[in-house]
Amino acid sequence: MPDPSPHSLEELRARLPGCRACPLWEHATQAVPGAGAAGAALMLVGEQPGDQEDRAGEPFVGPAGKLLDRAMADAGLARDATFITNAVKHFKHLPRGKRRIHQKPNAGEVDACKFWLLHEMRLVAPRVVVAMGATAARALWGGEIAINKARGQLLEREDRSLVITFHPSSILRLPDQAARERQYRLLVDDLALAAKHAA
Ligand code: URA
């Protein structure tokens, strides 16, 4: 674990690029730290930066980010009033021709990156955290989590209040329009639930 604890989000951002706790830094353009309001009552956590986030250095700016923006707006949430980050800060991918194909981070990579996620949580101190998808749920709650079963409720532990929901990319990957629309509505409901408890 990279020590000692960062004292501010600025210090965390300055130190993150030097992280060598797992090998993912080697093939990524840059580490992508969380972004948003420092004292936000609501923090959203995704899996890892995608292709566009890796290039931009900002979380959720690609297609998943566009869907998330729409879902947040439909839930009555302003993006700039939240803090948005990822469980893993480097883009894991396989090169295929000119394309870079997303690879799911493994448990060791998620654990190695937890240092940064937990310090972001400590420094932002949100009332409610939203884990989007299984990787974020694993990092924040532990174990293999069935999103369908865990979603739609506020989960409480002594140190965190958590809402688990679908990852925007998993909605984009659904083959049929009706299923996409259904799951999108559930994502909006979960964001609205988190916002209500964060208010
Ligand atoms: N998917 C994520 O989990 N995070 C991003 O930042 C972009 C896509």
Side-chain angles (χ1 to χ4, degrees):
M1 274 231 173
D3 264 331
S5 305
H7 293 102
S8 64
L9 287 171
E10 291 71 30
E11 186 190 332
L12 187 151
R13 279 177 161 268
R15 282 176 39 197
L16 180 62
C19 182
R20 301 293 181 263
C22 84
L24 294 185
W25 66 273
E26 267 177 275
H27 301 290
T29 307
Q30 58 193 314
V32 180
L42 193 60
M43 177 163 160
L44 273 58
V45 183
E47 182 193 72
Q48 63 168 349
D51 180 70
Q52 293 193 33
E53 290 79 12
D54 169 80
R55 297 176 202 279
E58 292 277 327
F60 283 101
V61 293
K66 302 276 176 297
L67 186 130
L68 180 60
D69 282 345
R70 185 156 67 86
M72 287 175 77
D74 284 348
L77 265 170
R79 178 165 171 147
D80 61 8
T82 68
F83 188 88
I84 302 185
T85 193
N86 284 301
V88 170
K89 309 297 195 231
H90 283 107
F91 177 37
K92 182 176 182 180
H93 60 277
L94 271 184
R96 190 167 303 156
K98 284 196 181 141
R99 296 185 58 213
R100 303 190 298 169
I101 309 298
H102 164 274
Q103 300 288 295
K104 193 175 153 71
N106 64 37
E109 290 151 354
V110 173
D111 285 350
C113 220
K114 234 173 171 174
F115 175 87
W116 303 108
L117 179 62
L118 294 182
H119 281 302
E120 284 179 326
M121 269 178 62
R122 178 180 60 80
L123 292 164
V124 175
R127 284 201 199 96
V128 179
V129 179
V130 179
M132 300 183 291
T135 300
R138 180 193 181 101
L140 291 163
W141 199 249
E144 290 298 317
I145 291 176
I147 306 294
N148 260 318
K149 297 210 176 107
R151 63 150 300 276
Q153 58 191 311
L154 187 75
L155 301 167
E156 303 255 28
R157 256 192 201 159
E158 45 312 323
D159 64 336
R160 75 196 57 163
S161 299
L162 186 70
V163 171
I164 292 174
T165 191
F166 299 106
H167 192 289
S169 298
S170 76
I171 299 176
L172 291 172
R173 280 196 302 268
L174 288 170
D176 84 276
Q177 171 70 32
R180 274 202 300 278
E181 189 51 39
R182 262 197 313 278
Q183 218 172 80
Y184 173 80
R185 284 282 134 220
L186 297 176
L187 171 64
V188 172
D189 289 351
D190 291 340
L191 291 173
L193 173 77
K196 186 179 101 186
H197 286 284

